[in-house]
Amino acid sequence: MNVFTKIIAQRLQLPEQGVENTLKLLDESCTIPFISRYRKERTGNMNEVQITQISELNDKLKELQKRKETVTKTIVEQEKMTPELQKRIEDCWDATELEDIYLPFKPKRRTRAQVAREQGLEPLAQIIMLQRERNPERAALRFVKDDVITTAELALQGAKDIIAEQISEDERSRNQLRGAFRRQAVITSKVVKSKQDTDEALKYRDYFDFSEPLKRCSSHRLLAMRRGENEGLLRISISPDDNECISRLQHQYVRFPSACGKLIEEAAEDSYKRLLKPSIENEFAALSKERADEEAIGVFAENLRQLLLSAPLGQKRVMGIDPGFRTGCKVVCLDEQGNLLHHEAIFPHPPVNHSMQAMVTVEKLIKQYHIEAIAVGNGTASRETIAFVKDCLVQQDSPSHKTPGVKLFTVSEDGASVYSASKTAREEFPDEDVTVRGAVSIGRRLMDPLAELVKIDPKSIGVGQYQHDVDQSKLKHSLDQVVESCVNLVGVNLNTASQHLLTYVSGLGPTLAKNIVEYRKENGAFTSRAQLKKVPRLGPAAFQQCAGFLRIAHAKNPLDNSAVHPESYPIVEQMANDCGCTIVELMEDKQRQKLIDIKRYVTQEVGLPTLTDIMKELEKPGRDPREQLEEFEFDPNVKDIEDLVEGMVLPGIVTNITNFGAFVDIGVHQDGLVHISQLADRYVSDPTQVVKLHQHVMVRVKEVDLRRHRISLSMKTERKGR
């Protein structure tokens, strides 16, 4: 068992054997969704989160190993390596500790201490540090040179520079100061005086003169301050109690009061102010930013997961409407697969006001294309368009019409404009303009949010917090993992999935996804998973990784439309034989399934976790883990922020979740904030424990700031008699 396995198992509190097997599977290029779903016996039934943590910690340890090799090589080249130092480096698996070990040997630009050493003052520094010399000035005279060091004071100053650097590179000093920063560091923000009256600076008014303990500074406040600093509007500093830290440092090196001790105290104070504090402050600035990034990325990732797993309407004939006033509403009609059948513009609102003509058009399209549901974007003119469509549907439901009731939904437009101008949209609809593409995206989002939203850069979907301020590579890595996880959790219809959606299926990627789509065009719909092996460049390894996540409706083998992996088909066949029936009969007969004793089918390779999953799939083959879609309606009497009155209780939809609360759309073109303290009648530490993205909630208006367009909402129970 290698050293990485032991470290990972210890840090994550996981069994070593499970970690070892997971690392082997990752080395074999198995994806995280595949490992968590189809290799439960080898991992010890670890979930996706645990496997992801193992993968990420393994990557960090690999990076640290490379750094150790660089450190070792540098010290060896300086001919300063010792067996003790070599062992310390080999045993070190903490990045900060490694850098502390390396610091005295790290090549630097020419420092004051380096100059002093070149002037031959290191022996004087050693004399002072020994603290035996009663008269250091007299000792310093021995180092006076006519051409370089002309006085004893200059010699002593050079010696103190050497001592200051030694103190700053001493691990004890650095760890002592880190402890002080952890316990008592305060982050302070001040406005740049010359910018305080500008419109740009007013956004950061809360941070013009702000300070709080660093350990209590929330991620959203820290990221806001750092953004203000990057824009040149704020100055940020992190500092412990300077006097206490200097005093502790002096006591660490001064053994007793003496003339040498006095010089060491001066050197220690200089070391703290000039070298140690700036270094550790930078370290804690980076660490606090990293923690804030992780928290913000975590919030974004969870929001994205909830958004991607939003309830789908399913394969229905849908009308998508991108609402607008002056430019009209763009209407598209889509078939059950989301293919564009028809598009045109209607003008039911001012300034054109062709409402009767628009109503006739909508009624005609509903009948002509057998529309079952209508999706209206939630942007400009959304409320007015919803009201207009309702009037159309009232006409549809009248006795003179035979068309059954059509359901109406509001759909988030976030990112639709990004999609409509993207390369993906141009490839899908080369002959249509951006408005048509945007309306198609709105309609498709209703049918299957996951399939449509994967085409958009997650950062453009609008469910993040300070997403442009966090580490962009970490953000992309995290969001890509979320998309991959969601796509494989739901499963993908092999015959209708877009190239973009197929890209995220375990084991595929852009090239194989494109090859699958081209094979489908040339050869028609897939009738079995086994046909995937005929797709160019899709070899056994890729087939193993992807097959279980791809579904084929009405396939020859019904298991091809389930999450049962082809490698497990023989097990199901054996179960059916033992029950004296076909696989189809077994899947349709719940009583037969209950009679199966899965323990009989346990082998060295297949254990109870896999067999339990197989039985769940036989019970509900290809089941969609997403919830059912519900219709929603805003309060018809509230359309603008001016209509709001404190105390009103209104229906709303959660549009974004941050670590300080949730934003809710109440239909007034401006989302309101339910602060974390107003989410429930109890204490809430994490908003995601109370609300989910797109959840329908009832909120009470607490406060309306018309000047700043801010709405404060509450989900707490209103107490009578207040």
Side-chain angles (χ1 to χ4, degrees), residues 34 107 201 601 681:
F34 175 80
Y601 301 94
D681 294 329

Side-chain angles (χ1 to χ4, degrees), residues 7 49 59 65 78 89 118 136 188 231 313 336 350 421 432 489 494 517 525 617 630 638-639 649-650 656 675 704 713:
I7 295 168
V49 173
D59 289 342
Q65 180 63 49
Q78 294 176 14
I89 294 170
E118 289 168 4
T188 303
E231 291 175 7
L313 179 67
E336 295 89 343
E432 310 298 347
L489 174 67
L494 181 56
V517 171
E617 276 300 308
E630 297 176 2
V638 177
K639 295 178 180 175
V649 177
L650 302 167
N656 199 2
H675 189 266
V704 182
L713 304 171

Side-chain angles (χ1 to χ4, degrees), residues 673-699:
L673 172 65
V674 183
H675 189 266
I676 190 169
S677 62
Q678 296 295 318
L679 281 170
D681 294 329
R682 56 183 173 80
Y683 171 75
V684 176
S685 60
D686 178 5
T688 59
Q689 295 171 349
V690 181
V691 289
K692 293 190 298 182
L693 216 57
H694 288 184
Q695 182 179 338
H696 300 169
V697 294
M698 295 300 294
V699 294

Side-chain angles (χ1 to χ4, degrees), residues 187-190 204 207 210-212 217-231 234-236 466:
I187 184 166
T188 303
S189 170
K190 301 279 186 187
Y204 302 101
Y207 303 107
F210 174 88
S211 69
E212 77 170 328
C217 185
S218 64
S219 68
H220 65 273
R221 283 201 295 275
L222 192 138
L223 290 170
M225 284 187 275
R226 290 298 180 195
R227 178 189 285 180
E229 182 182 44
N230 290 337
E231 291 175 7
L234 301 175
R235 287 201 179 94
I236 314 298
Y466 295 102

Side-chain angles (χ1 to χ4, degrees), residues 246-387:
I246 291 168
S247 178
R248 282 174 176 268
L249 204 58
Q250 289 170 336
H251 283 128
Q252 186 175 322
Y253 293 96
V254 178
R255 294 201 295 272
F256 49 83
S258 66
C260 285
K262 178 74 173 140
L263 292 170
I264 294 171
E265 285 180 351
E266 292 169 5
E269 182 173 353
D270 174 50
S271 178
Y272 175 81
K273 291 179 178 177
R274 183 168 57 87
L275 303 171
L276 260 175
K277 185 187 173 185
S279 173
I280 303 301
E281 182 180 354
N282 286 340
E283 192 178 296
F284 271 73
L287 282 171
S288 59
K289 172 68 164 57
E290 191 176 326
R291 279 194 293 270
D293 280 4
E294 285 175 6
E295 200 170 322
I297 289 170
V299 169
F300 197 158
E302 180 54 33
N303 282 351
L304 180 63
R305 176 177 294 279
Q306 291 181 17
L307 188 64
L308 293 175
L309 295 179
S310 296
L313 179 67
Q315 292 189 323
K316 307 281 186 187
R317 290 190 158 236
V318 168
M319 176 183 288
I321 303 179
D322 187 357
F325 287 116
R326 185 180 55 80
T327 56
C329 301
K330 186 62 72 173
V331 180
V332 298
C333 298
L334 310 174
D335 68 12
E336 295 89 343
Q337 277 74 45
N339 297 313
L340 178 62
L341 303 173
H342 176 84
H343 69 82
E344 66 179 278
I346 58 174
F347 297 85
H349 311 309
V352 181
N353 279 324
H354 288 171
S355 56
M356 287 305 298
Q357 184 180 330
M359 187 174 287
V360 170
T361 300
V362 170
E363 290 176 7
K364 180 190 77 175
L365 294 177
I366 289 173
K367 290 175 71 176
Q368 183 176 347
Y369 294 102
H370 309 292
I371 297 300
E372 299 169 86
I374 298 175
V376 178
N378 67 344
T380 306
S382 175
R383 293 294 300 275
E384 293 79 2
T385 305
I386 290 283

